[in-house]
Amino acid sequence: MKFNILILLIFGITNYVFGQNLNMIIDVNDELLTNYVGDAYLNFENEDGTTEKILIRYHPGELILEQNAWNKINSAEITKITFSFTYNTWKRGQHESINFKIKMKKYHFDKTYLILHIYDFRNRKYRRKYGCLTDENYIYEFRFPEGGILVSCG
């Protein structure tokens, strides 16, 4: 009996400490993001205007969230959620980075999976295809069961 209680306690603590994962694939300019994602945060805005950010991790296929992040996501006081991270590239021997800020809705976290497509307008191909849809330097879309698609400029 004591052994069973000990096993349940260990399982409960492990689940609480490590949190849950969100099944999420990120691609930038049609290339799967398989390397390190820097400065990955979930930024929360409350009803009263205060903000808080929680450090998270990304491994290909998983957005790793601790229990405190899930508590914030499920909180009725949260009005805005933004996923932000730094994307680093090397072009012609030069290091380039851009900080993406992706607005998310609470229902995104309830989906069985998410595919996040980001189109960086530093690449002319995507600037021509989607540049008319935003004033930002990038545009993004989520794909998930029963989700819509991004319409190009033509």
Side-chain angles (χ1 to χ4, degrees), residues 118-146:
I118 302 173
Y119 303 103
D120 183 356
F121 294 162
R122 292 178 294 175
N123 184 323
R124 211 175 285 156
K125 171 184 172 182
Y126 299 104
R127 189 175 340 130
R128 276 191 231 122
K129 191 170 183 179
Y130 300 113
C132 67
L133 301 175
T134 183
D135 292 331
E136 299 289 330
N137 293 326
Y138 59 92
I139 196 167
Y140 58 90
E141 70 172 327
F142 285 103
R143 296 265 174 102
F144 51 86
E146 300 152 9

Side-chain angles (χ1 to χ4, degrees), residues 1-100:
M1 181 68 175
K2 288 182 182 180
F3 181 73
N4 290 340
I5 292 173
L6 182 62
I7 294 296
L8 286 172
L9 183 62
I10 290 172
F11 178 74
I13 290 171
T14 304
N15 191 30
Y16 180 76
V17 170
F18 293 111
Q20 293 175 274
N21 299 339
L22 176 65
N23 293 325
M24 183 168 162
I25 296 173
I26 301 173
D27 79 52
V28 179
N29 293 343
D30 295 325
E31 290 184 25
L32 185 62
L33 194 57
T34 58
N35 55 355
Y36 172 74
V37 173
D39 301 326
Y41 289 96
L42 278 182
N43 304 285
F44 299 97
E45 185 174 319
N46 294 319
E47 291 174 337
D48 61 3
T50 59
T51 60
E52 181 181 350
K53 67 182 185 177
I54 297 177
L55 183 66
I56 59 174
R57 294 175 293 155
Y58 175 78
H59 296 289
E62 294 182 310
L63 195 62
I64 301 169
L65 307 173
E66 302 297 332
Q67 188 61 43
N68 62 341
W70 284 107
N71 292 343
K72 284 284 190 188
I73 292 164
N74 294 320
S75 170
E77 298 172 358
I78 299 300
T79 57
K80 288 184 185 177
I81 303 172
T82 306
F83 169 47
S84 63
F85 67 95
T86 302
Y87 175 67
N88 297 296
T89 57
W90 288 90
K91 290 188 180 179
R92 295 183 211 104
Q94 297 279 338
H95 174 257
E96 295 181 1
S97 67
I98 186 170
N99 190 282
F100 292 122

